[in-house]
């Protein structure tokens, strides 16, 4: 055979964008950042991690958060303001324990903070608080959103002004206890070769305080249209739903939990089905991986967290931001948290 011409040298390994990023704030621990642009500013709605002394377990009891602080900034890389306490668990009448990952939305000059918290029977539901300001204080509604369950609400505003809530999380997030449609304290997972448990989606009513429909399953399928299976741990949904729209397509992104990736899938409408594409963010320092994706001044950003500020303590995390890049075909370039 002929020797290969010099110009046919092996292609260099795909160069991933480097992720070198500092915590947005260091005065408190923050996690699960949901970023939005309201009135030309970026507002980040994170969990507020604390050390409450509860021992670590697979249910996530050590994530024992009690309030939220909203962060704001005029530019990425500019000063980040911690706007102080926006709501406290003691002011949520139905709450028991564990304020987990929140999100927020704006409509007609009112701001809505959506949050999962366990009720007094230790069952997760999703609540909402209302404010005239994006940074609160938020006044909690007296009861959870009717028909809500599990964790990690993400509220997406579509181009026609409709709002949809995406939610759910397995293991400590209790989604598996709702597999039959009603709460069953025994964990029930599908067989490994059966479709994985689906995240949920429900359109919100105009009042932003309730669902306008029974939550539907959001299907994530492979390139052949087959649902991802329960045993497909490196790709199946675990928690941390997020929705964004790019060039008219709907991008559903989420954490794969025990395999620690932020993955994404693309669909043609807010309900799906969504076809699995790949990984947005590889595992970070710490067990959890949770993110949001937002466009600001013509650039796209990934807000995420890791545990670097606490030296790796999994329940003491810090929110960070990195620019996100798309390929010409609309796929997302994978970000790697650790330099290779
Ligand atoms: O922060 C508590 C929980 O950890 C969140 O709800 C999950 O998404 C995971 O990040």
């Amino acid at each position: 055979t002929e020797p290969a011409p010099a110009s046919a040298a092996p292609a260099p390994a795909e160069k991933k964008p480097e992720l070198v990023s500092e915590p947005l704030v260091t005065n408190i621990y923050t996690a699960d950042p949901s970023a939005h642009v309201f009135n030309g500013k970026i507002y980040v709605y994170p969990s507020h991690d604390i050390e409450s002394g509860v021992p670590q377990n697979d249910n996530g009891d050590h994530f024992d958060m009690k309030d939220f602080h909203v962060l704001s900034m005029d530019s990425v890389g500019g000063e980040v303001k911690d706007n102080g306490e926006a709501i406290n668990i003691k002011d949520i009448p139905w709450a028991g324990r564990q304020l987990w990952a929140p999100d927020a939305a704006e409509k007609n000059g009112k701001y809505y903070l959506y949050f999962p918290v366990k009720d007094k029977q230790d069952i997760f539901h999703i609540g909402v608080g209302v404010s005239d300001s994006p940074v609160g204080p938020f006044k909690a509604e007296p009861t959870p959103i009717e028909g809500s369950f599990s964790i990690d609400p993400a509220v997406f505003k579509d181009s026609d002004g409709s709002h949809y809530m995406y939610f759910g999380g397995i293991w400590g997030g209790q989604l598996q206890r709702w597999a039959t449609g009603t709460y069953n304290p025994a964990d029930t997972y599908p067989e490994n070769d059966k479709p994985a448990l689906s995240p949920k989606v429900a359109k919100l009513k105009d009042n932003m305080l309730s669902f306008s429909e029974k939550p539907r399953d959001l299907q994530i399928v492979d390139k052949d249209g087959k649902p991802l299976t329960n045993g497909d741990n490196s790709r199946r949904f675990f928690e941390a739903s997020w929705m964004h729209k790019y060039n008219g397509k709907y991008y559903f992104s989420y954490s794969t939990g025990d395999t620690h990736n932020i993955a994404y899938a693309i669909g043609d409408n807010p309900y799906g089905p969504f076809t699995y594409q790949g990984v947005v963010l590889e595992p970070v320092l710490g067990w959890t991986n949770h993110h949001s994706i937002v466009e600001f001044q013509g650039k796209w950003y990934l807000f995420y967290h890791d545990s670097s500020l606490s030296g790796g303590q999994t329940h003491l995390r810090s929110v960070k931001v990195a620019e996100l890049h798309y390929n010409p075909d609309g796929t997302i370039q994978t970000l790697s948290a650790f330099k290779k």
Side-chain angles (χ1 to χ4, degrees):
T1 55
E2 304 248 332
S7 61
E14 187 201 343
K15 191 173 176 328
K16 292 186 176 146
E18 252 175 32
L19 199 63
V20 182
S21 174
E22 297 302 318
L24 291 187
V25 291
T26 54
N27 60 314
I28 54 172
Y29 290 111
T30 53
D32 311 323
S34 292
H36 291 276
V37 178
F38 297 137
N39 311 315
K41 273 177 87 141
I42 301 180
Y43 292 89
V44 182
Y45 298 83
S47 299
H48 176 194
D49 284 354
I50 52 164
E51 178 55 80
S52 76
V54 175
Q56 187 163 330
N57 61 22
D58 278 352
N59 271 339
D61 283 353
H62 48 307
F63 295 101
D64 189 26
M65 296 83 105
K66 303 198 186 304
D67 69 1
F68 293 120
H69 287 215
V70 183
L71 310 179
S72 57
M73 64 200 89
D74 291 319
S75 63
V76 174
E79 191 194 340
V80 180
K81 184 170 178 202
D82 170 0
N83 293 280
E85 188 175 280
I87 195 169
N88 190 292
I89 196 165
K90 66 178 166 35
D91 300 319
I92 302 169
W94 56 274
R97 63 176 180 141
Q98 294 185 288
L99 267 181
W100 281 13
D103 194 16
E106 181 273 341
K107 185 170 179 181
N108 297 335
K110 292 254 183 240
Y111 296 85
Y112 300 86
L113 180 73
Y114 300 92
F115 50 83
V117 68
K118 283 181 178 163
D119 67 14
K120 297 183 197 305
Q121 284 72 48
D122 237 21
I123 301 173
F124 269 118
H125 292 281
I126 295 167
V128 53
V130 187
S131 176
D132 291 326
S133 161
V135 300
F138 293 89
K139 179 157 176 37
E141 290 292 292
T143 52
I145 294 176
E146 200 182 332
S148 74
F149 51 90
S150 195
I151 60 166
D152 289 3
V155 174
F156 165 71
K157 182 182 186 181
D158 205 352
S159 319
D160 67 357
S162 307
H163 287 85
Y164 299 83
M165 182 184 288
Y166 299 83
F167 64 94
I170 61 174
W171 288 26
Q174 302 181 342
L175 187 62
Q176 69 281 0
R177 299 185 182 178
W178 296 87
T180 58
T182 52
Y183 184 77
N184 171 359
D187 289 344
T188 309
Y189 290 97
E191 299 290 319
N192 274 351
D193 60 347
K194 295 283 182 315
L197 291 170
S198 299
K200 305 289 173 189
V201 51
K203 194 171 185 173
L204 294 180
K205 279 191 181 159
D206 280 346
N207 68 9
M208 301 293 278
L209 302 176
S210 41
F211 294 152
S212 71
E213 60 185 344
K214 191 167 176 283
R216 310 181 192 193
D217 283 344
L218 181 154
Q219 227 185 30
I220 305 170
V221 299
D222 65 16
K223 293 260 157 70
D224 299 322
K226 293 203 189 85
L228 300 187
T229 59
N230 187 54
D232 190 353
N233 294 51
S234 64
R235 299 193 299 173
R236 61 93 175 88
F237 172 81
F238 189 102
E239 63 186 3
S241 295
W242 188 257
M243 175 62 68
H244 76 278
K245 205 171 175 179
Y246 177 76
N247 279 350
K249 294 278 187 195
Y250 294 79
Y251 287 60
F252 179 72
S253 47
Y254 57 96
S255 170
T256 61
D258 53 340
T259 51
H260 317 289
N261 286 318
I262 298 298
Y264 75 109
I266 298 181
D268 292 325
N269 69 73
Y271 293 112
F274 294 86
T275 306
Y276 182 86
Q277 302 293 324
V279 171
V280 178
L281 176 63
E282 292 179 346
V284 296
L285 181 65
W287 198 95
T288 64
N289 203 348
H290 191 130
H291 71 299
S292 61
I293 294 172
V294 68
E295 186 180 18
F296 183 62
Q297 296 178 344
K299 290 185 172 185
W300 285 88
Y301 294 97
L302 175 78
F303 286 79
Y304 67 104
H305 68 223
D306 69 19
S307 293
S308 54
L309 186 64
S310 68
Q313 294 188 71
T314 215
H315 62 299
L316 297 177
R317 302 160 290 179
S318 298
V319 167
K320 299 181 167 186
V321 60
E323 196 177 339
L324 197 69
H325 297 278
Y326 296 86
N327 296 310
D329 65 357
T331 54
I332 293 175
Q333 294 180 13
T334 303
L335 284 163
S336 175
F338 299 107
K339 283 190 190 176
K340 297 243 161 86

